[in-house]
Amino acid sequence: SLGYRVLEKEGIKNLKFIVGGHTHALHQEIYNGKNIIFPPSSGKGAIRVALHKNEVYAPKMNIGADSHDFSTLENSPDIISNSNISNPIDISFASRYFLEEAFPKYQTPIIKMPLTIGFKDYSEPFTNTSELGTFFANTARDATKTDFAFFLFSDFREKTPEKGKSLTPYNIKDIINIDKSMWTIENISIPELKELFEISLKNQKDPENDCMLEFSDNIRITRFKEPQDGGVVKQIEIKENNKWVELLDDNRKPKTEFNKKTFTATTCSIIAQGKRHKFEHLKNKNPKAYIDKSGEIYNPRFALEKLDAEFEGRLLMSNLLLWGLNKLREKEVEKIERAQIITV
């Protein structure tokens, strides 16, 4: 690979592997007098740079409290590299397109935020649900008229803009990791429901737990601080007629009166189609892609990925986000209450 060749050219040999990646936050530090910028994902750090023979000039990037605020990019030039560039190159076509065409479109205001919806602090262990995850799951449940909704924690990555600020297509792409379609699953039994949350909570404090779930606020989970025989889930409750109903007995089995009780759920295409290995059994429950027949929610204009004709009418995460925010504007909501995980 290019990485191997470059490093071996520098005299670094016998490499076993190279690990790469990126954070979802902008980092900027001065190292040996040089301004080092480690940009975040989704092109948030995209800027024009001036390439000269021996120097690279770029606007200074200041980290603002609001990561969505592009005014934090100042125009004062700052040397960020003294690499010997003998053949200066023009900015690539892809970057030029983003900066000159896509970037202005992505900055077009859509709506004013009715309130700020927070996400998780990446520096803290992931031990609970988030406002954003709960809001989105509630929205999906209400839009598709299922009993509850659940999604992967990794489906989201940033808080929303603050209350009163404009939401743009770029913000939507920043909030939603991948613009997946909504699928519904029927006849989920209580043991299957319990298994979902066993998978989610087993490694809850592990930042690499790729199966951690966000879920709607009409589900409440009581979990053991440390795993017990049979798992970590002690109790599952569902809110019916504004009352919490316990589904499990003292042995963490379905209560007798609920032995045949089943639920419908909404989730993303990745989970429903069994593409996340620990949830692959769900594909055997004949999940269905949800089609917005009313046309009230579906809006291809705000789809973050280009859709083929066969996906016409499928409800996307970006559509749901906008629909849910517009519903919030019709109400006086001060804060989103997170779905509950109680630890005992």
Side-chain angles (χ1 to χ4, degrees):
S1 70
L2 177 61
Y4 276 93
R5 294 199 301 271
V6 170
L7 290 173
E8 288 187 350
K9 186 177 180 181
E10 296 294 324
I12 302 174
K13 299 182 179 181
N14 301 320
L15 294 170
K16 299 297 183 183
F17 58 87
I18 297 175
V19 178
H22 65 258
T23 67
H24 286 163
L26 174 65
H27 294 278
Q28 180 179 14
E29 296 181 13
I30 303 299
Y31 182 76
N32 289 341
K34 301 295 188 297
N35 187 11
I36 308 300
I37 296 174
F38 190 70
S41 60
S42 298
K44 187 185 291 183
I47 53 176
R48 284 191 179 278
V49 296
L51 304 181
H52 299 276
K53 185 173 182 179
N54 296 313
E55 296 172 334
V56 179
Y57 290 91
K60 184 177 180 181
M61 301 175 72
N62 289 332
I63 303 174
D66 182 357
S67 62
H68 305 279
D69 186 357
F70 282 81
S71 66
T72 58
L73 300 184
E74 295 182 353
N75 292 321
S76 55
D78 194 16
I79 297 176
I80 62 171
S81 172
N82 284 323
S83 301
N84 181 15
I85 302 177
S86 57
N87 295 306
I89 58 174
D90 190 14
I91 192 167
S92 71
F93 172 79
S95 298
R96 188 188 309 120
Y97 170 78
F98 179 81
L99 291 166
E100 295 178 359
E101 297 184 38
F103 183 80
K105 293 177 183 177
Y106 266 38
Q107 286 298 90
T108 304
I110 303 173
I111 62 171
K112 294 287 186 182
M113 287 297 301
L115 77 164
T116 306
I117 305 177
F119 194 46
K120 298 182 180 178
D121 184 346
Y122 282 97
S123 65
E124 299 293 332
F126 303 147
T127 57
N128 210 334
T129 57
S130 68
E131 293 177 15
L132 177 60
T134 302
F135 163 74
F136 192 87
N138 289 350
T139 301
R141 173 199 64 200
D142 297 344
T144 59
K145 297 179 174 57
T146 54
D147 294 320
F148 71 99
F150 65 98
F151 297 91
L152 294 167
F153 160 76
S154 56
D155 285 336
F156 315 99
R157 60 184 177 194
E158 289 281 357
K159 67 174 184 175
T160 66
E162 295 178 358
K163 180 179 179 179
K165 290 194 173 183
S166 294
L167 180 82
T168 69
Y170 188 91
N171 297 144
I172 296 175
K173 187 170 180 58
D174 214 23
I175 293 165
I176 298 171
N177 207 350
I178 302 174
D179 203 13
K180 295 182 285 189
S181 57
M182 298 296 97
W183 287 58
T184 58
I185 304 174
E186 297 181 349
N187 300 317
I188 298 177
S189 67
I190 293 177
E192 288 171 329
L193 181 62
K194 182 174 180 287
E195 183 182 11
L196 286 178
F197 289 106
E198 288 286 358
I199 294 170
S200 172
L201 299 176
K202 186 175 181 180
N203 300 307
Q204 189 185 21
K205 295 182 180 180
D206 181 1
E208 302 303 318
N209 178 14
D210 62 354
C211 292
M212 183 175 173
L213 298 177
E214 299 270 13
F215 50 96
S216 51
D217 64 3
N218 62 324
I219 294 284
R220 183 164 68 185
I221 306 298
T222 301
R223 62 156 296 167
F224 293 110
K225 187 174 182 179
E226 299 296 334
Q228 307 289 317
D229 290 340
V232 297
V233 175
K234 180 181 180 182
Q235 184 59 261
I236 302 174
E237 298 169 83
I238 188 163
K239 184 176 282 189
E240 295 181 343
N241 299 319
N242 291 320
K243 293 183 179 180
W244 288 106
V245 178
E246 293 185 346
L247 302 179
L248 304 179
D249 61 20
D250 292 341
N251 295 315
R252 290 173 272 162
K253 304 292 184 182
K255 287 188 173 182
T256 304
E257 61 267 37
F258 300 137
N259 272 337
K260 295 183 179 180
K261 188 176 181 65
T262 60
F263 302 93
T264 57
T266 303
T267 189
C268 69
S269 55
I270 295 293
I271 290 180
Q273 295 176 297
K275 295 180 180 179
R276 184 55 59 92
H277 64 285
K278 292 182 181 178
F279 297 117
E280 60 187 4
H281 59 284
L282 292 175
K283 66 182 179 183
N284 298 322
K285 298 197 67 69
N286 193 28
K288 295 180 176 61
Y290 183 84
I291 304 298
D292 180 28
K293 296 179 180 178
S294 68
E296 178 186 358
I297 308 172
Y298 172 73
N299 190 335
R301 176 186 172 194
F302 298 117
L304 306 185
E305 312 293 339
K306 185 176 180 180
L307 297 178
D308 296 330
E310 65 181 288
F311 295 108
E312 184 76 17
R314 285 197 182 182
L315 190 56
L316 302 174
M317 296 186 77
S318 55
N319 301 150
L320 268 179
L321 179 67
L322 281 174
W323 184 77
L325 290 174
N326 276 312
K327 289 293 182 183
L328 281 183
R329 295 172 67 189
E330 301 170 3
K331 308 173 184 177
E332 293 186 4
V333 180
E334 295 296 326
K335 184 180 179 181
I336 302 296
E337 297 296 334
R338 301 181 306 183
Q340 298 179 61
I341 300 176
I342 302 170
T343 302
V344 294

